[in-house]
């Protein structure tokens, strides 16, 4: 005998509940499928289109690349420090201080035709050149300067040129200040 089931009896209610659970499970599967699709799309953006590795493998490769980059930057930094030190050493030897002192060597009224010029580096070493002008001749003298002192005794004008150079001056007058 065939019994006709109705929606209102126990078997019908169980069938409806099972159908509703199946529809809910189907919707959940569809939502999870869309979520997995989005996740794979995001992974393709990070990993590329044809990568055969997972996110953990990609992260390990990124760490290795970062470590290699860090080593390269450190090596470059050491090389740049060495180059900078050599440039700084060369700059200390450039002419950094200079001064010119004009004077009358023979107390004549010749308009300060004699002069001494000091040319020194940052280590306070260099030369002092003096040109002593007289009516019919001029003589040029050069003296070595080390650590702000002449290897030979400096004249007062030469010493003034060294003092002005180290003080930052670039031009000065010494001796007879009377006008020409």
């Amino acid at each position: 005998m065939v019994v006709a089931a109705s929606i209102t009896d126990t078997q019908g209610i169980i069938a409806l509940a099972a159908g509703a659970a199946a529809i809910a499970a189907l919707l959940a599967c569809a939502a999870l499928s869309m979520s997995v699709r989005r996740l794979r799309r995001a992974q393709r953006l990070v990993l590329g289109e044809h990568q055969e590795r997972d996110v953990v493998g990609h992260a390990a490769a990124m760490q290795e690349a970062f470590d290699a980059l860090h080593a390269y930057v450190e090596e470059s930094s050491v090389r740049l420090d060495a180059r900078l030190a050599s440039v700084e050493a060369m700059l200390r030897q450039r002419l950094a201080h200079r001064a010119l002192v004009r004077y009358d060597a023979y107390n004549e009224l010749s308009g300060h035709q004699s002069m001494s010029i000091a040319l020194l580096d940052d280590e306070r070493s260099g030369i002092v050149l003096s040109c002593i002008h007289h009516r019919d001749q001029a003589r040029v003298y050069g003296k070595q300067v080390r650590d702000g002192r002449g290897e030979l005794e400096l004249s007062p004008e030469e010493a003034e040129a060294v003092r002005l150079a180290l003080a930052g001056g670039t031009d000065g007058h010494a001796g007879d200040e009377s006008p020409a």
Side-chain angles (χ1 to χ4, degrees):
M1 154 161 126
V2 176
V3 177
S6 110
I7 297 180
T8 57
D9 64 0
T10 306
Q11 289 178 344
I13 293 174
I14 290 175
L16 281 174
I23 291 173
L26 186 61
L27 289 174
C29 283
L32 286 174
S33 176
M34 288 174 47
S35 177
V36 167
R37 246 189 249 136
R38 273 190 246 117
L39 179 63
R40 286 197 177 157
R41 193 176 322 124
Q43 282 182 343
R44 275 196 297 276
L45 288 175
V46 173
L47 300 175
E49 195 64 38
H50 300 289
Q51 292 292 331
E52 295 295 325
R53 61 181 175 196
D54 60 357
V55 175
V56 174
H58 181 70
M62 293 296 288
Q63 183 63 41
E64 288 174 13
F66 178 77
D67 290 342
L69 179 62
H70 184 265
Y72 173 77
V73 168
E74 285 293 320
E75 179 184 317
S76 296
S77 175
V78 168
R79 283 195 323 263
L80 285 175
D81 285 344
R83 287 182 67 188
L84 182 60
S86 70
V87 168
E88 287 173 344
M90 289 185 334
L91 284 176
R92 280 191 298 274
Q93 296 174 351
R94 69 163 173 66
L95 289 179
H97 307 283
R98 67 224 174 269
L100 173 69
V101 176
R102 300 179 71 81
Y103 53 95
D104 284 327
Y106 298 105
N107 292 325
E108 302 169 345
L109 299 176
S110 63
H112 299 289
Q113 295 297 312
S114 298
M115 61 100 187
S116 293
I117 185 169
L119 303 169
L120 307 173
D121 60 17
D122 274 338
E123 294 173 350
R124 301 168 27 132
S125 298
I127 60 171
V128 175
L129 296 174
S130 294
C131 179
I132 308 299
H133 183 76
H134 194 49
R135 287 184 197 150
D136 56 351
Q137 67 180 349
R139 294 183 185 205
V140 177
Y141 302 94
K143 295 180 183 174
Q144 189 83 22
V145 176
R146 295 225 188 265
D147 196 30
R149 287 187 225 92
E151 288 186 337
L152 300 173
E153 184 177 347
L154 298 177
S155 71
E157 295 82 9
E158 293 168 334
E160 177 69 4
V162 169
R163 185 191 69 74
L164 286 173
L166 293 175
T170 57
D171 194 11
H173 295 280
D176 182 10
E177 292 295 330
S178 57

